[in-house]
Every structure is written in structure tokens, then in C-alpha cells.
Amino acid sequence: MTKETQHASPEDVLNKIQTFMIEQIKAGADKFAITARLEEMGVARDQAADIVSNFYDDIMRAAKAEAFSSDVMPVAILAAAFAALLGGAIWGALVIFTGYEVGYVAWGLGLLSGGMVVLAAQGRKGRPLQIVAVISSLAGIAIGKYVGFHDALQGYALVEFGAEVAASLTLFSGAVFSLFVENIGSMLGGFDVLWVLLAVITAWQLPKGMGITPQRQA
């Protein structure tokens, strides 16, 4: 092996080799080109050939298994909608019962959305699924914000205008939704933006594939 890998753990060496080969395959290299590249890096010819033989086919099988297929989109969209509703409801409930907005729950929404999409897609990944997961995470955050806003508005109305007015401000009231849309900008602070970004990044990364198209590498 190269000098860089002589003192690394076996797991680190395997991860580096796999990452290197994935990048080479993405760049269009075949087995022979990758073997030659390893030799240029100081790996003995026989060892380089063994490495490529052991990893190349496994990587291609994994790429084929995760390749995006449009037939998984309907169930992925349903799973994303469920994740948004569930995550938003949980966040809203936490706000109501604790009186605080726990920002990292928004990050959890990104994890939930991305995970549910990948699960529903049976391990398939790709750009369309990434987009669905991101939309789901943003929708979940919006739902959580809306539930918290509704509770606060209803509490304010109860104190200022009485029980009858408060009762009229239901969760699905058009007036409540309009007020929410009008004031959503003022409800987003610096930390809110940070947590939203973390949620989006997480949701985007989970359904992200290796970027290898097996058909081109056959």
C-alpha cells in the first residue's frame, strides 16, 4: 500500500479505497484505468489488481441497487407527506406543552423526511427523491411553526377578546392561516435559519446516491 495508508486502521484504508474508486468510476474510469492509477500511486501491480477486483463489482452492484426509478415516486411522496405531518405535529405539540421552540427538532425533521423517503423508495436514491425530502422537511417545519402560532394566537384571543372569539380561531381557520403567512417573516430568527438549513442539508443528503450510472459503466 501507499505510505499514507501504512499507519491507518483497516477500516480507514477500506473507506479511502472505496471513496477513491467511486470518484474514479464517476469520472468514467474502468477497471484497467483504476488499476493503472493505483500503480501510479505506488501500489504494487498485483495488489492494485486485487483491490479493483474486490471493490469494483461491489460498487457497481450498490450503484445499481440505489439507482433512481420513477416507479418509487408515488410512495416516496406519500411517505414524505406523512413525515411532514408527523414531524410538524410533534414539533407543534412540544411547543404547546413546553412553551419553547426546540430548534434542533427542526433538524430532526430533516432526518425524518430524508429517512422516510429512502425507506419508502426501498433504498433508491437520486435527485428527484432529494427534492421530495427537502420539500417534506420544509413543510414539516412550516406545520410545526403554524401549530405553535395557532396556540399562541388562540391564547392571546382568549385573554383579550374572550372564549367565543378564541374558539372561532380553529386550527384550520382561514383567518389564522392568513395571519400566519403575514407574520412568518417575523417568526424566523437567526437560529431558526440555522436549524432550517441543517434540516434541508440533512434531508438532501440522505437520499443522495453515489452519482454512478451503472449503464454507462457496463
Side-chain angles (χ1 to χ4, degrees), residues 3 7 28 42 47 56 62 67 70 76 79-80 89 106-107 113 120 131 150-151 168 174 195 201 204-205 207:
K3 292 181 179 180
H7 303 292
Q47 192 175 22
Y56 187 90
S70 59
W107 192 359
S113 295
I131 294 171
H150 168 262
D151 181 67
S168 69
W195 293 118
I201 291 170
W204 180 261
Q205 289 296 324

Side-chain angles (χ1 to χ4, degrees), residues 80 83 106-118 124-141 195-209:
W107 192 359
L109 286 174
L111 182 63
L112 177 64
S113 295
M116 287 291 290
V117 167
V118 174
R124 301 285 182 174
K125 297 181 180 182
R127 188 64 56 85
L129 295 173
Q130 290 177 271
I131 294 171
V132 168
V134 167
I135 293 173
S136 172
S137 68
L138 291 174
I141 291 171
W195 293 118
V196 169
L197 285 175
L198 288 172
V200 167
I201 291 170
T202 302
W204 180 261
Q205 289 296 324
L206 285 176
K208 183 179 181 180

Side-chain angles (χ1 to χ4, degrees), residues 25-100:
I25 294 171
K26 287 167 65 175
D30 59 15
K31 289 183 179 181
F32 301 105
I34 298 173
T35 302
R37 177 61 180 142
L38 286 171
E39 289 183 57
E40 292 173 2
M41 295 168 64
V43 181
R45 178 177 298 179
D46 291 343
Q47 192 175 22
D50 287 341
I51 289 172
V52 174
S53 176
N54 290 333
F55 280 89
Y56 187 90
D57 291 339
D58 287 343
I59 291 172
M60 296 308 294
R61 278 193 292 269
K64 184 177 181 180
E66 72 169 22
F68 173 73
S69 176
S70 59
D71 60 1
V72 303
M73 281 299 286
V75 67
I77 291 172
L78 287 175
F82 175 75
L85 290 171
L86 176 63
I90 291 174
W91 191 13
L94 285 172
V95 172
I96 291 172
F97 288 111
T98 67
Y100 297 97

